[in-house]
Amino acid sequence: MNKTLTGIVLLVCSTAVASIASELYVDQIGSTLDLTITQTGDGNTIGTSIDSVSLTGDSMTFDITQYGNDNTISAVISGNTYTGTWIFNGDTNIVDLTCDETAGTNCETVTLDITTNGSTNTFNIYIGETADSQGLAATFIVDGDNNVIATTVDGANVTIDVTIDSSGEASGNTLTLAVTGDGAIGTTGHDVKLDHTGGNGTIAITQSGNSENNVINMTTDGNDANITINQSN
């Protein structure tokens, strides 16, 4: 059964337009979910660390767009196939996403695109936390200063493309990326591409599993970068 929650979410967003912080909590079980959330304003909440948005089922599409500052998102996804496009415009937003936190329900195929335009945002992304993901294709586009992106992935076939762009000499963006997991020889393996622009950047990338299939392609432009790369099989 197809399930669309867009209409419900738009009702919640009407309070945000009036500059009143809105709160949204979703606990959903079922396949073929199509969920779109749009929030405008400051101080909005989509789940919390105590009461996260919980989505369980196969073939899910979960998209979020937020305009404003000091917004919070906490979501837990359990299902085989997940596709998400998350767009943020604003400062001091916090995002926590976990895909597959329970054994036996893998995020086998995940496609995730996150774009942020703003500063001092924090993104904590965990994919394949309990049982490894078979396939992840993720894109992160970050435009701003002092953003923190922390991503942990356990997967066999992982492709991650990160673009961090800031013209400031002391932009201070931080990327921590850990990719683990084994796949059969000849599979995609772990492919990380990073394009970093800006000063005072801190980058830490760890890859492990099937060393012949681990690839990091990194370009950085800016002063005082602190970069650490660890690869192992």
Side-chain angles (χ1 to χ4, degrees), residues 174-194:
T174 299
L175 170 67
T176 303
L177 176 60
V179 183
T180 63
D182 296 323
I185 301 300
T187 58
T188 303
H190 305 150
D191 190 346
V192 175
K193 179 181 179 182
L194 171 63

Side-chain angles (χ1 to χ4, degrees), residues 133 153-160 178-183 187-193 206-216 231-232:
S133 169
V153 179
D154 184 354
N157 300 293
V158 177
T159 301
I160 299 176
V179 183
T180 63
D182 296 323
T187 58
T188 303
H190 305 150
D191 190 346
V192 175
K193 179 181 179 182
T206 301
Q207 278 185 333
S208 64
N210 282 351
S211 60
E212 62 268 48
N213 290 329
N214 287 340
V215 177
I216 298 175
Q231 284 184 319
S232 62

Side-chain angles (χ1 to χ4, degrees), residues 22 24 39 43-49 66 69-74 88 92-96:
S22 60
L24 175 64
Q39 287 184 322
N44 297 308
T45 299
I46 302 175
T48 67
S49 59
Q66 281 188 334
N69 305 317
D70 302 309
N71 297 308
T72 301
I73 296 174
S74 181
F88 306 93
T92 326
N93 298 302
I94 299 175
V95 177
D96 285 288

Side-chain angles (χ1 to χ4, degrees), residues 5 27 63 73 84 102 109 144 146 157 170 174 176 185 193 218 222:
L5 301 182
D27 190 352
D63 297 334
I73 296 174
T102 57
T109 304
N146 297 311
N157 300 293
T174 299
T176 303
I185 301 300
K193 179 181 179 182
M218 181 174 63

Side-chain angles (χ1 to χ4, degrees), residues 86 95-97 112 114 123-127 140 150-153:
W86 294 22
V95 177
D96 285 288
L97 170 64
L112 180 63
I114 294 180
F123 299 90
N124 298 308
I125 311 294
Y126 307 92
I127 306 294
F140 299 91
T151 302
T152 301
V153 179

